[in-house]
């Protein structure tokens, strides 16, 4: 069509129609191209929580699937007896722990930018809060009341045996929202004096029933120490040497931990410490265990043990008696709800 042959009025009409059509196409493109704005429940689902009917049921055990199976990395709900078919929650985590209807999922999301996060979920595994962190997830813990959550990430190296490894541990009060991203921000006392060192590393937090007192590991100059902390006072003090990844018993009288006993290839054995008497007891697990144990009940701890490219969850009595018992193959990061 010869546009120049049209009247001036006709050319104006054509121009207006063209502009309107172009604008409509542009709006459609922008609406399709922009990121989808999600409702809270849908946003939570995209973060990994399972369907709404999935819930944390009292009496179940929660573990993360290990090994090369398609559901590796998925949180499983297991009968407390260890018998019966585990059910998948649909939630994917590198580490997971839960208590009293509060769950803590540690994960790394790969993409253009790799993101490490600690995600707090409720008893239906819906996201409550998300905290951006850095590093590789190592330990997760929730207090018995469900109020306090703690995590450990490797920020350099990927093993406690690595030369020059570095970890960062943090605590969140889910009730008040108070966040301590690194325990290095708290004051540490050793032998009655404030202890400062450039190489301090913290990991493996566990909480007492009052949601204020906690225990953790600190290392400096190649030595590890068990510390007791006061969250409200922002202070910690060293209790004893050579204790890692503590886990406080349900009645608050015993601390289970791994203790360095062997060489670089087989270094750790499990022990419990009676906090009243100071008596230490070796548990009847002869294998190397690089884990923060969890309490199955008042007399039994559970933990993961490596097996080739996978790991299995085992139990053993906390008083040094008995022998290890296999609870679930191809699993790790156990928690009793």
């Amino acid at each position: 069509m010869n546009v120049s042959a049209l009247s001036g009025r006709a050319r104006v009409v054509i121009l207006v129609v063209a502009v309107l059509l172009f604008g409509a196409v542009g709006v459609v493109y922008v609406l399709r191209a922009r990121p989808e704005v999600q409702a809270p429940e849908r946003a939570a689902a995209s973060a990994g929580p399972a369907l709404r009917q999935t819930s944390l049921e009292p009496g179940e055990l929660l573990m993360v699937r290990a090994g090369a199976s398609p559901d590796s990395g998925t949180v499983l709900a297991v009968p407390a007896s260890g018998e019966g078919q585990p059910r998948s929650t649909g939630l994917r985590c590198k580490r997971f722990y839960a208590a009293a209807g509060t769950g803590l999922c540690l994960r790394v999301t790969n993409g253009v930018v790799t993101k490490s996060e600690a995600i707090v979920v409720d008893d239906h595994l819906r996201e409550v809060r998300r905290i951006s962190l850095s590093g590789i997830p190592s330990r997760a813990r929730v207090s018995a009341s469900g109020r306090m959550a703690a995590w450990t990430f490797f920020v350099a190296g990927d093993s406690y045996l690595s030369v020059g490894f570095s970890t960062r541990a943090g605590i969140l009060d889910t009730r008040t929202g108070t966040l301590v991203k690194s325990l290095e921000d708290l004051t540490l006392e050793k032998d009655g004096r404030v202890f400062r060192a450039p190489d301090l590393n913290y990991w493996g937090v566990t909480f007492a029933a009052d949601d204020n007192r906690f225990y953790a590991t600190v290392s400096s100059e190649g030595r590890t120490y068990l510390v007791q902390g006061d969250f409200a006072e922002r202070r910690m003090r060293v209790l004893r040497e050579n204790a890692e990844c503590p886990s406080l018993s349900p009645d608050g009288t015993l601390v289970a931990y791994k203790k360095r006993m062997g060489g670089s290839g087989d270094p750790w054995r499990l022990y419990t410490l009676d906090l009243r008497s100071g008596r230490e007891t070796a548990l009847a697990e002869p294998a190397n265990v690089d884990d923060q144990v969890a309490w199955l009940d008042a007399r039994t701890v559970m933990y993961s043990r490596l097996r080739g490219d996978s790991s299995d969850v085992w139990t053993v009595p906390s008083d040094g008696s008995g022998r290890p018992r296999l609870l679930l193959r191809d699993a790790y990061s156990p928690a009793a709800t």
Side-chain angles (χ1 to χ4, degrees), residues 95 139 245 258 270 289-293 302-304 333-334:
R95 279 276 175 177
R139 305 287 184 241
C245 296
K258 62 179 187 177
L270 295 180
V289 175
D290 180 9
D291 195 19
Q292 182 179 19
V293 308
M302 52 185 175
Y303 50 92
S304 64
S333 198

Side-chain angles (χ1 to χ4, degrees), residues 21-306:
L21 288 173
F22 179 79
V25 172
V27 170
V28 172
Y29 173 79
V30 170
L31 289 175
R32 288 183 176 179
R34 72 180 182 178
E36 183 180 5
V37 178
Q38 299 172 319
E41 287 188 7
R42 188 170 181 183
S46 70
L51 300 178
R52 191 178 182 87
Q53 63 265 29
T54 298
S55 60
L56 302 177
E57 301 294 340
E60 285 187 318
L61 305 179
L62 296 166
M63 308 180 192
V64 179
R65 173 65 77 192
S69 65
D71 62 344
S72 181
T74 302
V75 177
L76 304 176
V78 183
S81 64
E83 301 176 355
Q85 187 67 25
R87 64 180 178 88
S88 173
T89 66
L91 182 63
R92 302 186 69 86
C93 308
K94 292 292 186 182
R95 279 276 175 177
F96 184 80
Y97 199 86
T102 298
L104 179 63
C105 173
L106 307 184
R107 67 153 58 110
V108 175
T109 304
N110 296 318
V112 177
V113 177
T114 300
K115 296 188 299 183
S116 298
E117 299 168 319
I119 301 171
V120 180
V121 298
D122 65 12
D123 60 348
H124 286 275
L125 301 182
R126 295 170 298 202
E127 181 178 330
V128 175
R129 180 163 178 178
R130 181 183 300 225
I131 301 166
S132 296
L133 300 165
S134 61
I136 302 170
S138 174
R139 305 287 184 241
R141 197 63 31 137
V142 176
S143 66
S145 71
R147 174 177 174 175
M148 308 299 289
W151 54 83
T152 304
F153 280 74
F154 282 110
V155 292
D158 59 0
S159 168
Y160 295 104
L161 292 175
S162 299
V163 176
F165 80 92
S166 181
T167 59
R168 189 163 295 142
I171 297 176
L172 170 69
D173 184 334
T174 65
R175 183 181 302 172
T176 66
T178 302
L179 171 64
V180 174
K181 272 200 168 183
S182 175
L183 292 186
E184 294 177 33
D185 296 334
L186 278 57
T187 299
L188 175 64
E189 295 178 356
K190 183 175 181 290
D191 300 324
R193 295 178 295 181
V194 173
F195 181 66
R196 297 185 178 91
D199 65 341
L200 291 179
N201 285 293
Y202 291 93
W203 66 87
V205 179
T206 186
F207 296 99
D210 62 5
D211 287 330
N212 181 59
R213 181 165 46 97
F214 66 91
Y215 297 85
T217 303
V218 66
S219 72
S220 179
E221 297 183 345
R223 295 183 176 182
T224 61
Y225 303 93
L226 175 67
V227 301
Q228 178 181 302
D230 186 309
F231 189 71
E233 295 294 330
R234 300 293 192 272
R235 302 186 75 86
M236 299 173 291
R237 62 186 180 93
V238 171
L239 294 183
R240 66 188 296 123
E241 190 175 345
N242 194 9
E244 302 181 47
C245 296
S247 182
L248 191 63
S249 63
D251 64 4
T253 62
L254 299 175
V255 176
Y257 48 75
K258 62 179 187 177
K259 183 174 180 179
R260 189 179 290 270
M261 301 296 291
S264 59
D266 190 29
W268 290 297
R269 295 293 182 271
L270 295 180
Y271 282 75
T272 56
L273 173 70
D274 188 314
L275 292 171
R276 296 164 299 188
S277 67
R279 185 178 71 252
E280 196 176 49
T281 301
L283 303 192
E285 171 56 88
N288 176 60
V289 175
D290 180 9
D291 195 19
Q292 182 179 19
V293 308
W295 289 79
L296 176 63
D297 53 44
R299 298 177 296 277
T300 313
V301 297
M302 52 185 175
Y303 50 92
S304 64
R305 235 171 60 182
L306 292 176

Side-chain angles (χ1 to χ4, degrees), residues 285 301-305 312-316 324-327:
E285 171 56 88
V301 297
M302 52 185 175
Y303 50 92
S304 64
R305 235 171 60 182
D312 308 316
V313 173
W314 292 75
T315 67
V316 72
R325 180 176 71 91
L326 178 64
L327 189 59

